[in-house]
Amino acid sequence: MYIKRTVEKSILEAAKSFPCIVLYGPRQVGKSTTLDYVFPANFNRVTLDDTEDRELAEKNPKLFLEVNPWPIIIDEIQKVPALLDAIKIKIDEQRKIWLKNNEERKLMYVLTGSNRFELQQGISETLAGRCGIIEMSSFTLREKKAMEAHLFTPKIEVLIQRSQQEKSEYLTRTQIFEEIYKGGMPDICTNVSERNIYYKSYVNTYIEKDVRKLIVASNETQFRNFISIVALRTAQELHYDEIAGAVGIDVKTCKRWLSILETSGIIYLLQPYMSNMSNRIIKAPKLYFMDTGLCAYLCKWPDSKMLENCAMSGAFFETYVVSELIKNFFSFNVNPRDYLYYYRDIDQKEIDLLYVDEDGIYPIEIKKGISPKNPTKNFNVLQKYKRQIKTGLVIECCDKIRPLNEISYSFPVYLLGI
């Protein structure tokens, strides 16, 4: 059963503007399935996981593109980076033909890659200006519930208006933690695979196909331990030396391995808001897993009930909210780094999220409880930035949007994406 993805619209919009599209995303989040659904049957399809196709692409990229003419979807393009040069030549040749004949340009190539660490340099150097790049992640809650999503905004008047038109069913905190524990991987959400068996295979496949050639083979066991230790630190500030010491590696290796996790879409690093007031601000990013189900598996939590009541429950709830927002931005082809930050200073005053745009700063707190005590106590620290501080949000497990005080509203987590 195909579940409609919010990113479909962004893919089609990019197809109107570029002769090539690159769809990035972690393994098994549904890139190929979505593209098969979005593009018509007249598109050729080939995967470089196929040994024969990969060998031809490596030995003779020009012949490969002649045998597999455009329009075409090429999966796992990172396996043959040399193919990008041949694609560039084809695009430039076809552009001249379109220009000479005064024809409308068309979409020629749709490329997917699950290992951005290997691919992004080749794309930026070879296909710059010729391709639209789109990020894709695992399912959001809205997608799992088959409900339309909007690009997130913290503007309370817009959220109230959308919530009045909303028909989604309220989810209790226990139900939210069931969603957190399950995660957003399509095969689990559609009941194709049993959760624990799936994630065990996922970790093995990820290490075998994406990581092994990027690290020393003898470090594979250490890298498995490294991923689990990173998972235990989701929603925390990133301290390389502390993680390196726990794993038994040097800081340089730790930074490289974290870079692999980030560029392959496993984790996201949320940057602190600096502006021009950086002398007292904590400068380390915060680390979040992009799929809470994978994170819970790596932390070895046996079920959602124990996860809800464990010492890490607040961190998992925060991770869930942040990852839902990041995935929402990706789905609308918007860079979350242009809007989302966190705040913490050396006086230990912290705000979980800041949404920053030309209108001002919107503070956002994330609390797993209902009606948390004084959640907006640190909002006033933002006054020093000499920017307009807008009405804030406290994202929690309440049942509807309601005012908390004169500077903030509570916002139900189950309504994220309305």
Side-chain angles (χ1 to χ4, degrees), residues 310-329:
C310 75
M312 288 188 68
S313 60
F316 267 92
F317 187 80
E318 182 179 333
T319 300
Y320 177 72
V321 171
V322 172
S323 63
E324 282 284 305
L325 293 177
I326 300 302
K327 289 190 282 189
N328 175 271
F329 276 83

Side-chain angles (χ1 to χ4, degrees), residues 147-182:
M147 302 197 72
E148 182 184 2
H150 297 88
L151 178 62
F152 173 76
T153 175
K155 295 176 172 61
I156 192 61
E157 63 277 5
V158 176
L159 293 173
I160 290 174
Q161 182 182 20
R162 289 177 181 174
S163 69
Q164 291 170 347
Q165 303 165 352
E166 180 64 32
K167 296 181 180 178
S168 60
E169 183 180 351
Y170 167 63
L171 297 181
T172 65
R173 184 171 68 181
T174 295
Q175 290 172 314
I176 289 294
F177 270 89
E178 288 171 357
E179 295 292 340
I180 291 173
Y181 183 74
K182 179 188 291 184

Side-chain angles (χ1 to χ4, degrees), residues 31 35 46 54 83 98 137 139 156 172 188 208 242 244 254 257 260 276 283 292 311 407:
K31 299 184 296 295
L35 292 175
V46 63
R54 185 169 66 251
L83 194 56
W98 288 331
S137 298
F139 283 145
I156 192 61
T172 65
I188 296 175
E208 181 179 326
E242 190 269 335
C254 178
W257 287 2
I260 292 172
N276 295 320
K283 298 180 181 179
T292 54
I407 61 171

Side-chain angles (χ1 to χ4, degrees), residues 172-209:
T172 65
R173 184 171 68 181
T174 295
Q175 290 172 314
I176 289 294
F177 270 89
E178 288 171 357
E179 295 292 340
I180 291 173
Y181 183 74
K182 179 188 291 184
M185 289 298 187
D187 279 0
I188 296 175
C189 296
T190 55
N191 298 317
V192 172
S193 301
E194 193 276 329
R195 177 192 177 277
N196 290 341
I197 295 174
Y198 175 88
Y199 281 125
K200 180 180 180 181
S201 173
Y202 186 89
V203 172
N204 289 338
T205 301
Y206 171 67
I207 291 174
E208 181 179 326
K209 292 192 174 183

